[in-house]
Amino acid sequence: MSDALALAVLGLLVLGASTALVGAVCIAAAGTRAIRRFFFPPPRVRLVRVVPAPLRFVWLACSTPRCGHLQTRHYPAGPGYVACHGCDTIRPRP
């Protein structure tokens, strides 16, 4: 009986020690990353000005499986043609 109690206590001590070790490794990794990001910051992303979409479009049923044969916006793509907003398919204007 006393051997089982000693083994249970030993198991809890090993489990606690391994938990503390994993915690220390995580803290060291986070500290290393913080120091590296402080001295070598990631490059800043330059924001690109968003060009608004043209306001002239027509709702037409797109005949491609990609658009699901639903009505989507079609923008002018030259004289007598329109381009689908969803799949960029160019077709004659009806």
Side-chain angles (χ1 to χ4, degrees):
M1 183 73 176
S2 63
D3 290 337
L5 181 61
L7 287 176
V9 170
L10 180 63
L12 288 175
L13 288 174
V14 168
L15 184 63
S18 62
T19 302
L21 179 65
V22 168
V25 168
C26 289
I27 289 174
T32 304
R33 183 176 179 190
I35 290 171
R36 185 180 42 174
R37 289 190 125 217
F38 180 75
F39 287 111
F40 303 105
R44 290 187 174 197
V45 178
R46 294 180 59 179
L47 296 177
V48 179
R49 187 174 66 107
V50 176
V51 178
L55 298 177
R56 295 180 1 178
F57 62 87
V58 291
W59 289 94
L60 294 174
C62 189
S63 59
T64 60
R66 182 174 177 186
C67 290
H69 303 287
L70 298 174
Q71 287 196 1
T72 58
R73 292 178 296 200
H74 285 70
Y75 293 99
Y81 290 96
V82 290
C84 178
H85 176 70
C87 63
D88 296 326
T89 302
I90 297 177
R91 58 180 269 197
R93 184 179 184 107

